[in-house]
Amino acid sequence: HSDAGNYQRAIEFCEAAQPLLANLRTDENNAQIELDATALRLSLGSALLGAGRLRDAAVVFEENVNALRVIAQESDTMQVQYLLAASEQGLGSIEAQFAANPRATPAERLRRWRLAEEWFEKSVPRFQTVASKIALTSADRVPMNSAVAGLERSRAEIAKARRSVD
C-alpha cells in the first residue's frame, strides 16, 4: 500500500499486525521475531512519513534504531544493518523535511539540516557495506539512493547557510 501511495491503508495494516506479532514474542531470545518486529516498524515508520506524520514517524524510527542496535550486539547480519540504515535514512528524511519548512527560522533550519546530515552520514556507509556484500533489489536501493541524495542536499544546504552568515 505504501508503494502505491496509500499510506493510511499501509498504516492500518502495520498497526493491525503489531498485536499479532506481539503474541508471537513468547521467547525473548528469539532474534527472528525481534527482527520481524523491526521490519514491521520500518514499514510503519515509512508509511507515517509518507502520510506526512513526521513526529509519529520519528518516534517509530527512533524505537527501531534503538532495537536494532541491541540486536546488532548479538547478531550483526546484513539484514540488521540494512534495517538500521533504512531507519536512519528515515530519520534523516524527517529532519530534512523539518529543515525545508519555510516557516522555520534560519537557525532552526540549519540545526535540522545538521541533524539530517548526521543521520544520512550514518546510513549511507551502512547501505554501501550491505550493497557490497549482497545484491539489493531495485526496491531495496530506493532508501539507499534517498540517503545518498539526502546527504548531498543536507551538505549543500549547510554550506549555503554558512555562506549567508559570512
Side-chain angles (χ1 to χ4, degrees), residues 49 54 58 88-104 108-120 146-158:
L49 178 58
L54 303 182
E88 292 165 341
Q89 178 272 327
L91 287 165
S93 294
I94 290 166
E95 291 300 339
Q97 285 192 36
F98 280 129
N101 183 341
R103 293 181 299 200
E108 178 66 6
R109 289 172 61 105
L110 179 59
R111 184 179 78 78
R112 293 289 191 163
W113 281 120
R114 285 183 175 148
L115 289 170
E117 179 187 40
E118 287 176 25
W119 284 115
F120 292 135
S146 177
V148 170
L151 181 57
E152 290 172 5
R153 180 169 183 212
S154 61
R155 287 179 173 164
E157 293 291 338
I158 291 167

Side-chain angles (χ1 to χ4, degrees), residues 98-165:
F98 280 129
N101 183 341
R103 293 181 299 200
T105 65
E108 178 66 6
R109 289 172 61 105
L110 179 59
R111 184 179 78 78
R112 293 289 191 163
W113 281 120
R114 285 183 175 148
L115 289 170
E117 179 187 40
E118 287 176 25
W119 284 115
F120 292 135
E121 283 178 336
K122 291 176 184 176
S123 68
V124 168
R126 206 178 299 278
F127 275 128
Q128 290 169 336
T129 298
V130 171
S132 75
K133 297 191 187 256
I134 61 173
L136 296 177
T137 66
S138 59
D140 290 336
R141 288 186 174 276
V142 170
M144 182 173 75
N145 294 339
S146 177
V148 170
L151 181 57
E152 290 172 5
R153 180 169 183 212
S154 61
R155 287 179 173 164
E157 293 291 338
I158 291 167
K160 186 168 44 172
R162 286 184 183 143
R163 283 192 302 272
S164 68
V165 171

Side-chain angles (χ1 to χ4, degrees), residues 16-143:
Q18 285 181 326
L20 300 172
L21 190 59
N23 287 338
L24 297 173
R25 295 167 95 177
T26 56
D27 180 1
E28 293 178 10
N29 296 319
N30 185 334
Q32 188 58 51
I33 292 296
E34 294 304 316
L35 206 51
D36 292 345
T38 64
L40 178 60
R41 275 195 302 267
L42 177 62
S43 294
L44 176 59
S46 297
L48 290 165
L49 178 58
R53 293 173 51 186
L54 303 182
R55 294 188 196 294
D56 293 335
V59 169
V60 171
F61 284 131
E62 286 171 6
E63 287 175 6
N64 231 28
V65 166
N66 292 333
L68 286 159
R69 286 178 179 159
V70 170
I71 291 170
Q73 292 174 1
E74 295 295 320
S75 175
D76 194 12
T77 65
M78 289 299 104
Q79 183 181 15
V80 170
Q81 289 301 306
Y82 179 86
L83 292 168
L84 185 53
S87 297
E88 292 165 341
Q89 178 272 327
L91 287 165
S93 294
I94 290 166
E95 291 300 339
Q97 285 192 36
F98 280 129
N101 183 341
R103 293 181 299 200
T105 65
E108 178 66 6
R109 289 172 61 105
L110 179 59
R111 184 179 78 78
R112 293 289 191 163
W113 281 120
R114 285 183 175 148
L115 289 170
E117 179 187 40
E118 287 176 25
W119 284 115
F120 292 135
E121 283 178 336
K122 291 176 184 176
S123 68
V124 168
R126 206 178 299 278
F127 275 128
Q128 290 169 336
T129 298
V130 171
S132 75
K133 297 191 187 256
I134 61 173
L136 296 177
T137 66
S138 59
D140 290 336
R141 288 186 174 276
V142 170

